[in-house]
Amino acid sequence: MTELALEYASKNQAQSMAELIEKMLGNYAVRKLLGFCTKRCKKCGSRIDISLKGYVNSNNAKLCYKCRVASFIIKNIFDYILSKIDIPRIEVEKNLMDPMWRKGLASVLEGIAEYGPRKPFTAYSPFLIVWNVTKVCNLRCKHCYEVGGKPLPDELTTKEALKAVDKMGKAGVAYIALSGGEPLMRKDFFEIVERIRKNEIAFSIATNGTLLTKETVKKLEDLGCLYIQISLDGAKPETHNRFRGANSFEKTIKGIKNAVGSNITVGIATTVTKLNYNEVLEIIDLTEKLGADIFMYYNFIPTGRGKDIANLDLSPDEREKILKYMASQIGKRKINLLTTAPQYGRICSSFSKFSLTHFDTFGQNDLGKSVEFLSEFVGGCGTGRLYFALDYNGDIFPCVFMPIKLGNIRKDDLLDVWRNSPILNKFRDRSIFSEFCNECKYSNVCGGCRARAYSYFGDVTKCDPGCIFNNKEWLKIVSK
């Protein structure tokens, strides 16, 4: 609701709205009320989800007394916010009818009740799970973190995969990003998607694009896919093919064209290394020319097959140059410019703009002083606070780029892993980070890439050597 409020605000109103919402989040009485409203009822189910649905449709005759009281409290909180800020009630109701928006808001409110108004924020349950549904892939990309290729015997069966979706639905997950390998290589892919839809979970797909026929895109569109992310690592065929194999460029471009002809949001994702660094601006231009909606710059992480080309990683200065250019283009182009580099939060704030880095649920906005509140609330790297990852065999990881096993969905409770993992709790306490990531005034906005810290130092609390403020650590690495 914070972002919806700011979306409808003028720049002069935005700061006062941010202050109002921040004040409410920090109010002890409000937190106690939220604690009551977010309890799980054995008879009625998720009390907060019931309350949010009830804000649109107040028919609560079948609810127990406590759940009726919770619905009344939530209604009054929402009415109070709406009385102070200029948001049409019809827009709030429209968003609450969207399961992803409603579940995301429920997780925010539950997170505030559970953890308090932390900066950066920690959700009660993972808003997003990135699920590598298979190792199988039709390409052999040099920088693949998953080492995609042949099928492995411990891959989740169809029955296990469907059960995993049900577990995610029960845990309150709002969004599943399906990846691989190449997810479309999995024979039961659309059966899994049907179960995701049945659980009222939003979904997207990350693909190499070579299998995106018009028929496949239409099927994804009919099933409610929100976003198709297609990997493109060069503006020129020879550059892209150098990463992904002969003739892959033409097939990927065809897949992109098939996707942009649909009603699905389409993003082009580029993993940037020294091999394609000089083509990034051309790729951004090509993204716009092809009619895509988003350009996503992926940080190269030397993990998986990428370990073999660690020498091709960008320097901190090179990364900074790309991010500054992207931030300078916000509002000037038809496309959104996003990245997995958490330093983007710091850079965007210096441009007085707000942008989510890992996934763009709300878009990019020029919001003046309210940027500080939003940026610190979202907090850059969302690992362990907003999302974690699920592998092809059910293993749970903090991030797809960080192979630290936290549990397995076959036998472990998702919420238990999310709330009690010692590793995830390390991500949530940025005071224990080292080098400049510890003392940086942008810690709440950025937090550094924990996957890079782990890949280079074997320790998630170490600094991100990809940041200009940790340039000394980067020089130590390259001098070895």
Side-chain angles (χ1 to χ4, degrees):
M1 192 157 186
T2 302
E3 178 65 18
L4 182 64
L6 293 169
E7 181 180 339
Y8 276 91
S10 66
K11 290 183 183 179
N12 292 333
Q13 293 173 314
Q15 178 63 13
S16 61
M17 291 182 185
E19 289 173 353
L20 167 67
I21 295 168
E22 186 173 17
K23 183 178 179 180
M24 288 186 65
L25 298 183
N27 185 284
Y28 177 78
V30 171
R31 277 189 60 199
K32 291 295 286 184
L33 288 173
L34 285 177
F36 170 76
C37 294
T38 55
K39 296 291 184 184
R40 303 288 172 113
C41 176
K42 292 182 179 180
K43 177 187 175 183
C44 305
S46 172
R47 192 174 285 170
I48 186 65
D49 192 53
I50 290 167
S51 299
L52 293 176
K53 287 179 180 177
Y55 192 74
V56 180
N57 180 4
S58 59
N59 183 15
N60 58 8
K62 296 182 179 180
L63 299 180
C64 70
Y65 172 73
K66 288 185 178 180
C67 288
R68 289 201 302 272
V69 171
S71 292
F72 177 78
I73 292 171
I74 292 297
K75 178 183 181 301
N76 279 274
I77 290 175
F78 270 54
D79 286 344
Y80 174 75
I81 294 174
L82 289 176
S83 72
K84 298 294 182 181
I85 53 182
D86 186 23
I87 308 177
R89 183 186 174 104
I90 191 172
E91 287 297 325
V92 176
E93 292 183 353
K94 176 183 174 183
N95 280 283
L96 288 176
M97 290 296 289
D98 180 345
M100 183 190 74
W101 203 93
R102 189 177 65 249
K103 287 183 177 183
L105 180 57
S107 188
V108 168
L109 296 175
E110 288 176 309
I112 293 168
E114 179 72 19
Y115 302 109
R118 288 181 176 180
K119 288 184 180 180
F121 172 72
T122 298
Y124 179 82
S125 58
F127 171 81
L128 164 74
I129 289 182
V130 181
W131 185 8
N132 294 326
V133 292
T134 185
K135 281 266 192 181
V136 180
C137 190
N138 57 333
L139 301 181
R140 300 292 182 272
C141 306
K142 291 182 179 180
H143 49 346
C144 181
Y145 63 83
E146 186 71 348
V147 195
K150 297 179 180 179
L152 295 179
D154 59 340
E155 183 169 287
L156 293 176
T157 64
T158 299
K159 184 178 179 180
E160 289 172 328
L162 297 179
K163 187 176 180 180
V165 174
D166 292 340
K167 284 189 173 184
M168 287 184 263
K170 186 178 180 181
V173 173
Y175 196 109
I176 297 174
L178 298 164
S179 187
E182 171 52 54
L184 292 173
M185 293 286 288
R186 184 158 174 146
K187 293 180 180 179
D188 58 359
F189 174 80
F190 285 105
E191 189 176 349
I192 293 171
V193 169
E194 289 276 11
R195 184 61 67 93
I196 290 172
R197 188 182 186 187
K198 185 178 179 181
N199 276 273
E200 292 191 316
I201 303 173
F203 79 97
S204 64
I205 177 174
T207 171
N208 60 43
T210 62
L211 303 178
L212 281 177
T213 63
K214 289 182 179 180
E215 292 74 22
T216 299
V217 171
K218 182 64 169 62
K219 199 166 184 179
L220 288 167
E221 185 178 21
D222 291 343
L223 288 167
C225 180
L226 293 183
Y227 177 51
I228 299 176
Q229 180 176 278
I230 304 165
S231 298
L232 183 70
D233 291 314
K236 302 169 185 174
E238 55 269 27
T239 307
H240 179 84
N241 293 344
R242 189 175 178 183
F243 281 102
R244 297 181 176 267
N247 302 317
S248 59
F249 180 83
E250 291 77 7
K251 294 177 182 177
T252 296
I253 293 295
K254 186 175 181 180
I256 293 170
K257 290 180 178 179
N258 288 336
V260 297
S262 71
N263 291 319
I264 305 172
T265 300
V266 177
I268 289 178
T270 301
T271 300
V272 183
T273 69
K274 291 186 183 297
L275 294 179
N276 58 0
Y277 173 72
N278 291 324
E279 283 185 36
V280 172
L281 271 59
E282 293 178 65
I283 300 171
I284 292 173
D285 290 339
L286 181 59
T287 299
E288 205 163 39
K289 182 180 178 181
L290 288 170
D293 305 286
I294 292 170
F295 168 77
M296 172 70 82
Y297 155 37
Y298 264 86
N299 245 350
F300 167 69
I301 312 292
T303 188
R305 202 176 284 140
K307 288 181 180 179
D308 298 332
I309 56 170
N311 62 307
L312 297 178
D313 197 0
L314 299 185
S315 70
D317 288 335
E318 288 170 328
R319 181 173 290 101
E320 190 82 358
K321 185 177 180 180
I322 291 177
L323 296 178
K324 283 185 175 180
Y325 173 77
M326 289 171 58
S328 74
Q329 296 299 296
I330 294 176
K332 298 178 181 178
R333 288 181 176 264
K334 297 176 182 177
I335 58 174
N336 278 344
L337 298 128
L338 307 175
T339 178
T340 59
Q343 291 82 12
Y344 200 41
R346 163 177 58 82
I347 291 169
C348 283
S349 66
S350 70
F351 281 82
S352 292
K353 299 185 188 295
F354 170 70
S355 175
L356 299 179
T357 52
H358 294 342
F359 48 94
D360 189 33
T361 306
F362 301 114
Q364 299 173 320
N365 299 286
D366 188 342
L367 295 169
K369 292 182 180 180
S370 57
V371 163
E372 182 179 353
F373 167 71
L374 273 176
S375 297
E376 290 192 351
F377 191 72
V378 176
C381 177
T383 300
R385 299 183 304 103
L386 302 174
Y387 69 87
F388 61 16
L390 186 65
D391 212 6
Y392 73 101
N393 61 355
D395 283 345
I396 301 167
F397 297 133
C399 164
V400 293
F401 300 108
M402 201 180 308
I404 304 174
K405 184 176 177 179
L406 307 176
N408 189 285
I409 201 167
R410 284 182 168 116
K411 60 183 180 63
D412 295 311
D413 180 78
L414 276 179
L415 285 181
D416 181 58
V417 173
W418 177 257
R419 297 176 65 186
N420 299 313
S421 166
I423 294 293
L424 295 186
N425 282 324
K426 284 185 177 181
F427 297 119
R428 295 162 185 164
D429 184 5
R430 295 185 177 178
S431 68
I432 65 174
F433 294 173
S434 62
E435 287 81 35
F436 204 84
C437 282
N438 176 270
E439 58 191 82
C440 183
K441 69 177 183 178
Y442 297 103
S443 177
N444 285 345
V445 175
C446 171
C449 176
R450 296 301 98 207
R452 293 179 60 79
Y454 183 74
S455 293
Y456 279 107
F457 305 115
D459 184 346
V460 300
T461 67
K462 297 291 280 186
C463 73
D464 176 357
C467 177
I468 55 169
F469 297 139
N470 287 314
N471 202 44
K472 287 183 179 179
E473 300 304 316
W474 174 253
L475 293 176
K476 290 178 186 178
I477 291 170
V478 297
S479 66
K480 290 182 180 179

